[in-house]
Amino acid sequence: MKLNSSNTRFELTQQIIASVLFCLMFALDEPITTAVFIACSGLLVFRLVLIHQGSALLSVLSRASSKNIGALGMTVVILLSVRHSGLINAMVNLLLAGSALWWFTLPATINSQIPRQFFIMHKLCLCLFFLISVGFIYEQTLLYSLLFFVLILITWLALFICENPEQPISNTFRFLIKYTLVCVPLAALIFLLLPNLAPFWKLPKQEQTVSGLSESMTPGDIAELAQSTRLAFRVAFDDNNPSQQQLYWRVMTMPNFNGKTWAIAGLPKRSRNAQQSNSSLYIADDLSSDNDVSPSKINYSVIAEPTHQPWLFSLANSHSNTDKVNHNHDDTLSYATKLTTKLKYEAQTGQLALASVLGAEQAVKVSTRPITLTDRQKKKNLYLPPNLHANTAELSHRWMSIAKQTTSDKQQQSQLFIKSIANYFRQNGFIYTLTPPKLTGDHIDNFLFDTQQGFCAHYASATAVMLRQQGIPTRVVAGYQGGEYNPNGNYFNVYDSSAHAWVEFWVQQADNSNSGHWYRFDPTATIAPNRILQGLGGSEVINNNLNVEPMEMVKSVAWLNTLRQQIQSLDYYWTIWVLDFDPTREENRITSWLQSTDMRHILYVFITLIVIIAGAVWMTIRPRGQINEITQVLTKLEQRLTKYDRQHNPKKSFTPRVLTRQSQQTLADYQAHLLQYFPELAEPLNAIFSNIDAYLYQPQASDKNVFIKIVFRQISELS
């Protein structure tokens, strides 16, 4: 590909930079406001159209008046659109808008005699490098990292074209590939061996949208969240993976109730005796006795996506030794601060109970030792607004009366009461759907006796109210259930579509002491058992009431689903090997590796590192083929012309700087520059530059040694 014209190369560079700006606008969609996006897109599209048409308006854009008007307009757009977006987001918008405006007001053509025009391109490329680096603040996934890497290469290509206007594009690509192959291994080596220093400063806090579960829940909220395909977290187990039925991921408990909405009792409160709380194991036990029990402790690691909340994801009775991960009074885990970036933490629980889902009237014990509720806690977990749920109260009183007539044991009474609730849901045509009718009036009565359609939050809310009406302390638990297993990485992806709600109720021990146990009951298993066994997509009722989502379409095609899981596993390994590569584990890994090898092995590694570094240095400073020969020729020419000038013009000697070729000059420009000073040498100079052009653009027809011999002879004959 031959691009001999400076302006043609300048046009190509503009198009490359425009493509980078377009990609950055989409990659930085989180901080970039809609107004700034539209304004920048308009500038880019308008100038590209003018470039394509070769319009004379391009010269108008570079005028000072156009720049001032554009700067004023863009300032107004930024001030109006980023007032509440936070300092960092505002600066990113300002930087992107400035880069787009800078590109928009570039000169129409490039003049090799005006270095300032080349400096503008250099500064613009450096600004793009900085913008690409800023992208890692917002996205660090594998796909985005690859995108940013490609954008760096493309920007580097534009910068190299600016710096070397005389070089063929094919050589430019070879140069880019060569140095990329050198830099990537060196960067990986530096990443592995050099200490990973802590940041020297912290970013200002940003106003971020909370994602995932909310700290309050009204029937219908989780149904909306469950239609999202956002990844909530990933989890890997050390040993055998539990079954879907066992994966109840607790996030927060909601004891507060106002008749419609359930809410948390406040911010996470760490257990006073965290060590004692964490040391107990989770021994599954249900009110009946026929739960399956896993045989061993369970260790698992979680990679939580940013939620801008402190709540974490855990199985019942989990504890964690990860720094800043706390175990709370309500048997949940939380982080010391809000999750603004991905967080990996380790956790452990004991044996998990497997309730028989098809016989879903069973309740599973989730507390490992007797728990005493204070009068205040009992009152909070029993509170119901007055003068509400009258029809529900009548129904629940009738069921509890039957249970009390059957047995005097409180645990057995609770079990019979749970069975009555399950039978009522199962035998009265209740429907499990993501799009239930809107509840009116008394929400609980309206759901149980009129609409009889709902998602998990509807059933959990109604069940909790009925249990409280019978004096049983109850809370709603919001979390996630199940997960999509990825066999390539042996881990589970848990999406927002797995958001779930169930109830936990407290039953006093038989000895009439003030202590008791918390039990879990999931009424959803009564209506849609496949929801618990196979996840949301496994429920026939759900699928019959929903349009086919894009993800479900991908899953239905075997090879597409396999490809999707392969990509997900790559991103998973990227997260645990790169993003989670902290200094402590780095030091321990290297120390352990060195202790397990002999000195000869260490010597081999040392020699390998020296060879890699020496090879990189050699590839950097070694002669560079055609361009190196051209440099030799031009240096020789400059020396000969300087000598010629001193011989023929002793009173008017040019300084070497005048005869030296400037970095922004093409060969044609340099030839014209020399002819201005030496018009009497027009014929030999034209012959020399014709040979240089032939050597550059027809390398297959030129031999290096012959070329140098001929041109050097021509130069020596200048007289």
Side-chain angles (χ1 to χ4, degrees), residues 10 73 112 117 161 184 243 468 515 570 584 603 634 643 682:
F10 181 58
S112 61
Q117 295 182 350
I161 292 176
V184 170
S243 60
R468 286 190 175 190
S515 61
L570 288 175
T584 303
L603 181 61
L634 295 181
K643 183 177 179 180

Side-chain angles (χ1 to χ4, degrees), residues 1-4 9 12 156-157 160-161 164-180 622-630 667 692-700:
M1 180 179 182
K2 299 180 183 180
L3 294 175
N4 298 326
R9 286 175 170 271
L12 174 63
W156 191 7
L157 175 65
F160 190 79
I161 292 176
N164 302 272
E166 80 288 349
Q167 180 152 215
I169 295 297
S170 58
N171 286 354
T172 302
F173 278 108
R174 283 198 294 269
F175 174 88
L176 185 64
I177 294 172
K178 181 186 70 175
Y179 279 91
T180 301
R622 71 184 180 90
R624 289 182 276 178
Q626 289 178 319
I627 301 306
N628 188 64
E629 280 84 60
I630 300 304
L667 285 174
I692 293 176
D693 287 339
Y695 180 69
L696 277 175
Y697 301 116
Q698 297 178 358
Q700 69 279 2

Side-chain angles (χ1 to χ4, degrees), residues 335-626:
Y335 197 56
T337 60
K338 293 182 179 180
L339 263 65
T340 56
T341 59
K342 290 183 180 181
L343 173 68
K344 182 181 179 183
Y345 58 94
E346 312 289 335
Q348 183 188 68
T349 185
Q351 296 173 327
L352 292 175
L354 172 57
S356 176
V357 177
L358 297 180
E361 61 273 6
Q362 299 183 40
V364 179
K365 184 187 291 185
V366 293
S367 57
T368 60
R369 65 184 189 283
I371 294 176
T372 300
L373 295 184
T374 64
D375 292 340
R376 182 180 179 182
Q377 290 173 326
K378 286 183 180 179
K379 184 177 180 180
K380 179 176 293 186
N381 286 278
L382 285 170
Y383 175 77
L384 289 171
N387 304 320
L388 286 177
H389 323 311
N391 294 333
T392 303
E394 180 181 351
L395 182 64
S396 64
H397 286 317
R398 183 167 71 248
W399 290 339
M400 183 55 75
S401 297
I402 296 174
K404 289 182 177 179
Q405 294 174 7
T406 304
T407 178
S408 60
D409 184 270
K410 291 185 178 181
Q411 292 187 3
Q412 294 182 12
Q413 289 175 3
S414 300
Q415 173 70 352
L416 292 173
F417 187 74
I418 287 296
K419 287 184 177 180
S420 298
I421 295 175
N423 289 333
Y424 182 78
F425 287 146
R426 190 164 45 239
Q427 296 172 4
N428 286 273
F430 279 79
I431 298 175
Y432 184 69
T433 175
L434 278 171
T435 55
K438 186 176 181 180
L439 297 176
T440 58
D442 188 318
H443 280 197
I444 304 301
D445 283 359
N446 186 229
F447 167 67
L448 287 176
F449 300 101
D450 298 322
T451 66
Q452 297 187 338
Q453 297 181 37
F455 200 54
C456 58
H458 294 75
Y459 294 96
S461 181
T463 301
V465 167
M466 288 188 282
L467 285 164
R468 286 190 175 190
Q469 287 174 337
Q470 301 311 311
I472 301 175
T474 307
R475 61 194 182 193
V476 171
V477 181
Y480 295 82
Q481 200 285 320
E484 181 193 34
Y485 179 65
N486 188 318
N488 298 310
N490 191 30
Y491 71 96
F492 289 88
N493 287 313
V494 183
Y495 300 93
D496 280 344
S497 58
S498 295
H500 197 50
W502 59 93
V503 299
E504 289 180 354
F505 60 91
W506 184 82
V507 178
Q508 191 174 6
Q509 292 195 114
D511 57 7
N512 292 323
S513 63
N514 290 327
S515 61
H517 289 277
W518 284 101
Y519 292 84
R520 180 185 73 226
F521 173 62
D522 186 0
T524 298
T526 301
I527 306 301
N530 285 338
R531 164 65 182 87
I532 311 302
L533 288 169
Q534 302 174 19
L536 184 62
S539 173
E540 295 180 0
V541 177
I542 292 293
N543 290 338
N544 289 336
N545 285 276
L546 288 177
N547 294 325
V548 179
E549 297 293 337
M551 180 176 287
E552 295 301 323
M553 294 178 63
V554 172
K555 290 181 180 179
S556 64
V557 181
W559 70 270
L560 281 178
N561 190 49
T562 301
L563 178 62
R564 178 182 66 90
Q565 291 184 330
Q566 289 282 4
I567 295 175
Q568 287 178 338
S569 61
L570 288 175
D571 184 70
Y572 172 72
Y573 288 125
W574 167 264
T575 302
I576 61 176
W577 287 346
V578 178
L579 301 184
D580 191 52
F581 198 76
D582 64 74
T584 303
R585 277 195 295 272
E586 176 183 1
E587 181 178 354
N588 293 339
R589 185 181 292 112
I590 294 175
T591 301
S592 174
W593 180 77
L594 290 177
Q595 290 175 350
S596 64
T597 57
D598 54 24
M599 292 302 297
R600 185 176 59 182
H601 194 171
I602 297 175
L603 181 61
Y604 289 161
V605 173
F606 180 75
I607 294 175
T608 302
L609 295 180
I610 295 298
V611 170
I612 292 175
I613 297 174
V617 173
W618 176 79
M619 292 189 69
T620 303
I621 66 175
R622 71 184 180 90
R624 289 182 276 178
Q626 289 178 319

Side-chain angles (χ1 to χ4, degrees), residues 97-135:
S99 300
L101 187 60
W102 206 348
W103 178 87
F104 182 72
T105 57
L106 285 173
T109 58
I110 202 73
N111 188 337
S112 61
Q113 303 301 320
I114 307 179
R116 182 179 61 84
Q117 295 182 350
F118 281 94
F119 294 156
I120 291 175
M121 298 297 294
H122 297 167
K123 293 177 182 178
L124 183 54
C125 289
L126 293 177
C127 186
L128 291 180
F129 282 131
F130 184 76
L131 259 178
I132 295 169
S133 301
V134 169

